[in-house]
Amino acid sequence: MATPTEPTRGSPERPRRPGHPAGAGPVDTGADGARSGSAGPDGFDEFWRTTLAEHTGREAARFEPADSPLRSIDAWDVTFSGFDGHPVTGWMLAPAHGGSRGTVVQFLGNNTGRGIPEQWTLLPSAGWSTFVMDNRGQTGPASPGDTPDPVGSGPQIVGRMTSGIQQPESYYYRRLFVDAVCAIDAVRARQGPGAGPLVVSGGSQGGVTALAAAALREDISGALVEVPLLCDIPRSVEAAADGPFTQIRDYLRTRRGDEETVLRTLSFFDGVHFAARAQAPALFAVGMLDPVCPPAGVLAAYEAYAGAGKSLRTYPFDGHEHGQWQHRRRQLEFLEGLTERR
């Protein structure tokens, strides 16, 4: 196990699954080193090709100067067309005097929104423009959201993990992941040709959204993936002690006999399957005591990640916080490396 300041490369050892006998050996891997089963369900690629073809490419984004006391950072209030043209908000922040080194598209955790521009000053202060995508239909006291989700769904447990879970086409995360692709479209249209690197970033729910974006777009320069949610979902539903995965357990307790249907839906959104298709360099983070996103799921996504130049930071005594400001420093070093490669 690596220390918090040492990257681990290759395929790290995974914690054993509850009920899996100690000493039973590592999880099977394919010839390319990806975890067995990382390709996903039949029809995975066609599902996402069809989804993007049918539900993206609507109106151009609007960037309006935001009212902010920031002086060294310029801020814009953004509205772009997400899934099916639904309006989604975001913030765009950039160094006020030009010289942006590239753009980081920031995806957010569960039950949070875009908040206010002053929450997102670290990366612009380091020379990186930052686009913060709001979560449709989510908000929270620490970081409120502004984007509604106009799509209804069948019965669900409180939270978004079971919203529309009856089939892949209606599942909440289909809309959120399409929003992420549309956010990148908006950034690319504003940047124009010859812009610097474009990096996707997020933790927890934002982490799996970053994985999805890195897989669904070919023009991603790097990915910052922190304790991603929705990875190795069957195992994580069993193992999670707290957080969104428990919503799925609660749902299955009310819908006994629906396990096969639910797990089939979720298989189209598993971060492991997106990781197996992503090609950009990536920096992962895992807290080995994380009760919300079990480390086995994070490590499964890391094992499956197909991009060259991947690295993993493990935090042996951390939970969902996964390194906090020490990890922010590691991320800045990763971004510095991307500019050196160009």
Side-chain angles (χ1 to χ4, degrees):
M1 182 182 299
T3 68
T5 57
E6 297 174 344
T8 301
R9 303 185 183 273
S11 296
E13 183 180 355
R14 299 176 63 195
R16 68 183 181 91
R17 183 177 184 176
H20 183 67
V27 175
D28 292 336
T29 58
D32 62 353
R35 179 177 171 275
S36 178
S38 62
D42 291 343
F44 182 93
D45 293 309
E46 181 59 28
F47 172 81
W48 283 106
R49 274 194 296 269
T50 301
T51 292
L52 294 179
E54 294 180 352
H55 300 284
T56 62
R58 308 301 168 88
E59 298 179 7
R62 301 192 307 273
F63 289 74
E64 301 177 352
D67 183 16
S68 170
L70 298 174
R71 293 294 174 263
S72 62
I73 296 171
D74 291 331
W76 292 267
D77 189 347
V78 184
T79 302
F80 67 93
S81 293
F83 180 93
D84 258 359
H86 301 157
V88 180
T89 62
W91 298 119
M92 185 76 185
L93 296 95
H97 304 294
S100 175
R101 309 177 71 186
T103 301
V104 177
V105 181
Q106 180 70 48
F107 304 118
L108 305 178
N110 190 55
N111 291 332
T112 61
R114 65 173 181 162
I116 59 176
E118 291 75 24
Q119 292 177 258
W120 304 103
T121 58
L122 174 64
L123 289 173
S125 295
W128 287 81
S129 298
T130 303
F131 185 91
V132 182
M133 187 188 88
D134 203 17
N135 286 328
R136 61 167 59 223
Q138 296 189 36
T139 192
S143 190
D146 294 315
T147 302
D149 183 10
V151 179
S153 68
Q156 68 181 77
I157 296 295
V158 174
R160 303 317 302 248
M161 287 287 276
T162 65
S163 177
I165 204 169
Q166 294 78 19
Q167 57 186 355
E169 290 77 10
S170 61
Y171 192 45
Y172 170 81
Y173 285 94
R174 183 179 185 230
R175 303 190 293 281
L176 187 70
F177 293 170
V178 170
D179 289 348
V181 171
C182 293
I184 293 169
D185 288 339
V187 170
R188 283 298 192 200
R190 183 173 178 82
Q191 285 179 325
L198 190 148
V199 179
V200 292
S201 175
S204 195
Q205 176 183 266
V208 72
T209 307
L211 281 175
L216 296 173
R217 293 289 299 235
E218 297 180 352
D219 55 350
I220 302 301
S221 305
L224 300 170
V225 182
E226 309 164 56
V227 293
L229 188 67
L230 287 174
C231 290
D232 201 356
I233 293 171
R235 177 194 298 260
S236 295
V237 168
E238 293 179 7
D242 197 6
F245 279 118
T246 64
Q247 297 168 23
I248 298 174
R249 287 208 302 267
D250 290 343
Y251 179 86
L252 290 174
R253 281 204 295 269
T254 75
R255 310 284 292 190
R256 296 179 180 89
D258 284 1
E259 293 87 351
E260 183 176 348
T261 297
V262 166
L263 290 177
R264 179 183 180 277
T265 291
L266 293 170
S267 68
F268 286 89
F269 303 90
D270 197 313
V272 172
H273 309 327
F274 289 116
R277 291 161 170 80
Q279 296 298 321
L283 172 63
F284 280 70
V286 60
M288 298 305 290
L289 302 180
D290 191 341
V292 175
C293 294
V298 179
L299 297 178
Y302 178 76
E303 289 174 11
Y305 195 85
K310 68 180 181 180
S311 60
L312 171 70
R313 298 281 176 169
T314 62
Y315 296 94
F317 303 105
D318 283 35
H320 202 52
E321 71 277 10
H322 64 275
Q324 298 179 307
W325 284 103
Q326 286 83 1
H327 191 67
R328 298 285 85 78
R329 181 68 175 269
R330 305 288 82 77
Q331 290 179 323
L332 292 172
E333 292 170 353
F334 175 86
L335 293 173
E336 184 74 22
L338 291 181
T339 60
E340 292 173 354
R341 292 190 188 106
R342 292 176 66 86

